[in-house]
Amino acid sequence: MPFRKIKQMFGFGKPDPAPSVNRQPKPRDKYLPHDHYLGAIFIITYRCQCSCSHCVSGIYTKDKDKEFSTEGAKELIRKFADFGVDCVAFFGGEPLLRDDILELIRYTREIGMSALLDSNGWMIDEKMAGDLAEAGLGVINISIDSVDPEIHDKGRGIPGLFEQAINAIKLCKSNGITTLISSYADREKLNSGATQAVIDFGKKLGVRLRYFTPLRSGKWLDNEEVIFKPEDLKKFKSLLSPDGACWENDFCDSPEKDFHCLSTARGQFTVTAFGDITPCPAFELAFGNVKEEPLEDILKRMWSHYIFNRTDGKDCPLNDPAFRREYADKIRNATKYPIRIDEHVTREQ
């Protein structure tokens, strides 16, 4: 798999040098090939100004007092570097609601990792865009759900957000930050032409799109109708191109390429705002908490779980019928997320 291409996409839009044979060994080397990309998605907060109907984070508590402190976040980021992480992706919620986000981005860069951030764009003005660039942010993904301002704003619950997001895209781009539009495609948008319209709009702005497809997670946990059927998937993939849109990452940027899930390929892991380790932000099952035990111990446990061995990575386990039979009721009936997965469930199937 083209992991160097992924490293390029999530770095600074420039190819990384080939890994040095003199690189100091890292704990990750026990589990991953030498040049394998590894990203840490750090959900720095679940707080957000939006109320999106498709949000995978909307079921989580937004308790600010339980989030990592600045020093606690830095300690965790240092653990990422010590383990051998290449890139820290700051996720939410809305990461810019953290008063210390610039300090955390700057610290990430100082200790040798690249930094990425997902945002709705609401808080990005000329000063913030300049500050993000100065702090060393390499890539920013700004959400655009529709080219119709009314639909975009209504779906996110903030009047005027569309225009602000477009302005944020232009400001970040002009400040030298690799800027992408982050969007999602569902069956309705795909068949109405709305998905293609966002791609065309991105081309006019001079930015690429990262498209996400529906997952049985978060607010869509019980919405089976959103999941792509084979004919939907074929139509969606026909819209992908290297200069237009990719399906979540550069593994799949043309109709001929298969989708590969970075999480099940051990290319990324997620730490929630409260320290839980999950494969990705949409995954409501946790394998441990970094406030209670070492990062490496949790990742070793997670990567030995059978979902990393039985899937081909071409779709999310959350959409897999067998996985859903085993875990859907536990997720649906939970009163708090994420749910700690049974530690004994590490069999291979």
Side-chain angles (χ1 to χ4, degrees), residues 199-259:
I199 295 173
D200 294 340
F201 188 70
K203 288 181 178 179
K204 290 181 181 178
L205 291 175
V207 297
R208 295 184 65 212
L209 267 80
R210 291 183 68 209
Y211 256 118
F212 293 83
T213 52
L215 301 176
R216 298 286 297 278
S217 175
K219 295 182 179 180
W220 279 351
L221 177 64
D222 292 313
N223 191 350
E224 188 174 353
E225 291 302 311
V226 301
I227 303 304
F228 279 176
K229 292 177 169 40
E231 59 270 25
D232 301 319
L233 192 57
K234 182 178 181 181
K235 185 174 183 178
F236 170 70
K237 289 186 68 176
S238 72
L239 306 180
L240 305 179
S241 66
D243 63 343
C246 65
W247 182 0
E248 192 170 331
N249 57 62
D250 272 352
F251 281 141
C252 189
D253 60 3
S254 72
E256 296 76 29
K257 293 182 180 179
D258 287 329
F259 171 77

Side-chain angles (χ1 to χ4, degrees), residues 305-313 317 320-324 326-327 347-349:
H305 190 277
Y306 68 87
I307 66 167
F308 288 85
N309 300 309
R310 78 177 183 184
T311 64
D312 60 7
D320 179 68
F323 179 86
R324 293 192 57 75
E326 184 165 2
Y327 289 110
R347 64 188 182 279
E348 293 188 12
Q349 295 185 349

Side-chain angles (χ1 to χ4, degrees), residues 88-246:
V88 179
F90 293 97
F91 195 76
E94 172 53 53
L96 295 181
L97 285 172
R98 289 277 303 217
D99 295 335
D100 57 359
I101 189 63
L102 295 172
E103 182 178 352
L104 297 179
I105 292 170
R106 190 174 294 110
Y107 181 71
T108 298
R109 294 295 298 128
E110 287 173 355
I111 60 175
M113 297 176 290
S114 56
L116 177 151
L117 186 140
D118 282 80
S119 176
N120 57 41
W122 185 245
M123 297 178 68
I124 300 177
D125 55 14
E126 188 169 354
K127 181 179 186 307
M128 175 59 77
D131 288 346
L132 288 169
E134 186 276 331
L137 184 68
V139 178
I140 189 165
N141 300 313
I142 297 177
S143 299
I144 297 291
D145 301 330
S146 170
V147 298
D148 184 323
E150 184 177 351
I151 293 175
H152 178 85
D153 294 353
K154 183 178 180 180
R156 290 184 168 261
I158 303 181
L161 177 58
F162 178 83
E163 293 300 331
Q164 177 59 27
I166 298 307
N167 189 51
I169 290 169
K170 294 176 180 177
L171 288 171
C172 289
K173 191 168 179 283
S174 67
N175 275 274
I177 302 171
T178 298
T179 306
L180 294 91
I181 289 175
S182 181
S183 193
Y184 75 95
D186 58 25
R187 295 174 67 193
E188 180 181 352
K189 292 168 67 175
L190 179 66
N191 293 315
S192 70
T195 300
Q196 179 66 64
V198 179
I199 295 173
D200 294 340
F201 188 70
K203 288 181 178 179
K204 290 181 181 178
L205 291 175
V207 297
R208 295 184 65 212
L209 267 80
R210 291 183 68 209
Y211 256 118
F212 293 83
T213 52
L215 301 176
R216 298 286 297 278
S217 175
K219 295 182 179 180
W220 279 351
L221 177 64
D222 292 313
N223 191 350
E224 188 174 353
E225 291 302 311
V226 301
I227 303 304
F228 279 176
K229 292 177 169 40
E231 59 270 25
D232 301 319
L233 192 57
K234 182 178 181 181
K235 185 174 183 178
F236 170 70
K237 289 186 68 176
S238 72
L239 306 180
L240 305 179
S241 66
D243 63 343
C246 65

Side-chain angles (χ1 to χ4, degrees), residues 37 39-46 57 66-81 85 87-96 98 100-101 103-105 107-108 113-118 268-281 289-291 295:
Y37 167 85
I41 301 175
F42 190 0
I43 303 177
I44 195 69
T45 182
Y46 283 112
S57 299
K66 293 183 179 179
E67 295 173 2
F68 284 89
S69 66
T70 301
E71 290 310 309
K74 284 185 174 181
E75 181 181 352
L76 179 59
I77 292 168
R78 166 56 70 181
K79 290 178 181 178
F80 294 157
V85 165
C87 173
V88 179
F90 293 97
F91 195 76
E94 172 53 53
L96 295 181
R98 289 277 303 217
D100 57 359
I101 189 63
E103 182 178 352
L104 297 179
I105 292 170
Y107 181 71
T108 298
M113 297 176 290
S114 56
L116 177 151
L117 186 140
D118 282 80
Q268 68 182 18
F269 62 89
T270 295
V271 182
T272 74
F274 315 121
D276 300 293
I277 300 284
T278 69
C280 79
N289 191 296
V290 290
K291 295 181 179 180
L295 174 65

